[in-house]
Structures are given as C-alpha cells and as structure tokens.
Amino acid sequence: MSKADLPQLLSAEAIDSINTWIKKYPKERKRAAIIPALTIAQDELGYLAKETMNAVADYLEIPHIASYEVATFYSMFSMEPRGKHIVSLCTNVSCMLAGSGDLKKWFKDELGIAPGETSKDGRITLKEVECMAACGGAPMLEVSKQYHENLDVEKLSHLIKELT
C-alpha cells in the first residue's frame, strides 16, 4: 500500500473532504485527522475493509496499526459489510425500563435479526448501544444518524417499514 492507493478507493469528493480535515492540523500532526478520514471512507464504502484502513493510514503517513486502533475502539466504525440502514438501539437502564427489550424482540420476531446482525434483504443492520444520551425520550433508537424517541412496537414497526 502507498499514499496513492486511497484515491483509487474513494471518490475525488471524499479525498477533498479528507484533505480539508488534514489542513486543520499542523503538517506534522496529520494523524489527528484519522477519525474524520475513516468516517468519510466508511460513509462512502459502507464499511472499513483492511485495505481501506491501510490506505487511510498511508495517506495520513501513520502506521497501519494506528488506523486499526481507532477503527476497532469506536463503535461507529464497522469492519464488516452492513445493511443500508444502521439501527442503533439503546438498551441502557432508562431505555430498558421504558421498553427497549420489546423493541429488540420485535427485530428478532419480525426481521429475524439480533444485535450485530443484518436482515436477509441487506436493508437493516441492528446495533445494540449502551447510551445515546436521550433518556428523557426513552426508549429510543437512531436510524441513519437520526434519533427516534418515545418508541413502542407499533411506532417502531411503522418507522422500519418506511425505510427504503
């Protein structure tokens, strides 16, 4: 791998976005752009394959392991293909007490998926998350970076069926 590999994996727009982030830091601190660079790559490619993480590391002129450390530490990154829609279901105490268990059961019963799995049609990947700081609207989940609060099974069913 080399610095030239990333432009072969990502669009020119994605590379421009990464370069914008790199410019925000001193030249010797390009490493600081690792989270936005990985996010941009994942948004475009759907997940972070090893070759993508290596190419991002090479582009930022950092060791490959530095890219792996960030990608495996933060739950927003995925090293496996995912569904078109990522559904993050909060199961922390407030959401659990307010009924997130019923929502989790709905995913199993209706879509045949548990946390960490993707529906057979490739539409939905379910993630179980610890806390999304929306306790006042429990139970809640996030779909494609949008919060949905005060859910019950009926509202959840309607929400998921509306996703294309």
Side-chain angles (χ1 to χ4, degrees), residues 7 13 31 41 46 111:
E13 294 81 20
R31 173 188 214 123
L111 300 181

Side-chain angles (χ1 to χ4, degrees), residues 6-162:
L6 194 61
Q8 294 175 13
L9 294 173
L10 299 178
S11 68
E13 294 81 20
I15 296 298
D16 287 345
S17 294
I18 291 171
N19 288 336
T20 297
W21 278 98
I22 290 170
K23 290 175 189 170
K24 293 181 182 205
Y25 303 101
K27 198 171 194 172
E28 68 279 2
R29 301 277 187 222
K30 287 177 18 175
R31 173 188 214 123
I34 187 69
I35 291 176
L38 289 172
T39 301
I40 291 163
Q42 179 172 272
D43 286 349
E44 183 157 308
L45 301 173
Y47 72 104
L48 296 174
K50 186 176 181 178
E51 73 172 351
T52 306
M53 291 185 285
N54 289 346
V56 167
D58 291 342
Y59 197 76
L60 296 177
E61 300 173 344
I62 61 174
H64 291 175
I65 190 68
S67 184
Y68 305 158
E69 289 169 343
V70 171
T72 59
F73 179 79
Y74 291 102
S75 63
M76 64 194 173
F77 295 119
S78 177
M79 276 55 70
E80 300 292 328
R82 318 178 289 175
K84 180 178 179 183
H85 299 283
I86 310 305
V87 176
S88 298
L89 176 64
C90 180
T91 57
N92 202 339
V93 173
S94 294
C95 284
M96 179 189 63
L97 292 173
S100 67
D102 294 337
L103 304 181
K104 191 159 103 173
K105 183 179 181 319
W106 182 89
F107 280 99
K108 190 67 169 169
D109 294 345
E110 295 296 318
L111 300 181
I113 59 173
E117 297 177 346
T118 300
S119 60
K120 287 182 177 143
D121 62 4
R123 216 168 47 98
I124 308 290
T125 294
L126 180 62
K127 285 177 61 176
E128 186 172 5
V129 295
E130 184 58 28
C131 182
M132 298 188 74
C135 299
M140 66 83 60
L141 55 76
E142 176 194 32
V143 181
S144 302
K145 300 181 181 180
Q146 241 184 350
Y147 276 23
H148 299 274
E149 301 178 77
N150 301 305
L151 293 171
D152 57 27
V153 170
E154 185 178 328
K155 290 176 187 174
L156 172 66
S157 176
H158 180 71
L159 171 69
I160 297 302
K161 287 176 183 172
E162 292 295 311

